[in-house]
Amino acid sequence: MELKRNLRKERTGLVLSNKMDKSVVVSVLRKVKHPKYGKFVLKTSKFMAHDEKQECNIGDKVKIQETRPLSKNKCWRLVEIIERAK
């Protein structure tokens, strides 16, 4: 019998900080339509993600995935680095 993993949220964003040990701060940008005026507004969310191999640098485009709580603020983990910073 094969165990199936739950569907977990995935986000794509930019690394803002990598100064912590095995942790990075990822900024995720999304467009939200204003309820009254209908204009699309850019909203930013910051997530702390677990980077086991400490391979991320500031400015990298990464994909993160939801996971169990790893610390007080960290419940996301790094899946892959999509694009390195130039």
Side-chain angles (χ1 to χ4, degrees):
M1 192 168 170
E2 189 179 317
L3 291 174
K4 232 178 152 183
R5 247 190 186 175
N6 294 337
L7 290 173
R8 298 184 178 181
K9 295 174 192 165
E10 286 192 342
R11 303 278 187 263
T12 304
L14 291 173
V15 176
L16 293 180
S17 170
N18 65 346
K19 294 182 179 182
M20 297 161 282
D21 188 33
K22 296 187 180 181
S23 298
V24 291
V25 177
V26 179
S27 171
V28 176
L29 200 65
R30 60 189 163 78
K31 285 184 179 179
V32 178
K33 193 173 185 180
H34 191 281
K36 185 174 180 182
Y37 300 112
K39 181 178 179 177
F40 284 95
V41 183
L42 292 177
K43 296 274 187 175
T44 306
S45 301
K46 290 199 291 186
F47 299 105
M48 278 184 84
H50 186 67
D51 181 14
E52 184 65 40
K53 298 173 188 167
Q54 296 185 327
E55 51 193 10
C56 286
N57 292 317
I58 296 173
D60 289 352
K61 190 174 184 181
V62 296
K63 182 187 281 188
I64 57 174
Q65 185 180 47
E66 201 174 34
T67 185
R68 66 182 176 83
L70 299 169
S71 69
K72 178 182 172 185
N73 298 320
K74 195 165 53 168
C75 54
W76 294 81
R77 65 181 173 86
L78 180 72
V79 177
E80 65 173 321
I81 298 174
I82 298 170
E83 185 182 325
R84 291 279 184 190
K86 294 174 184 166

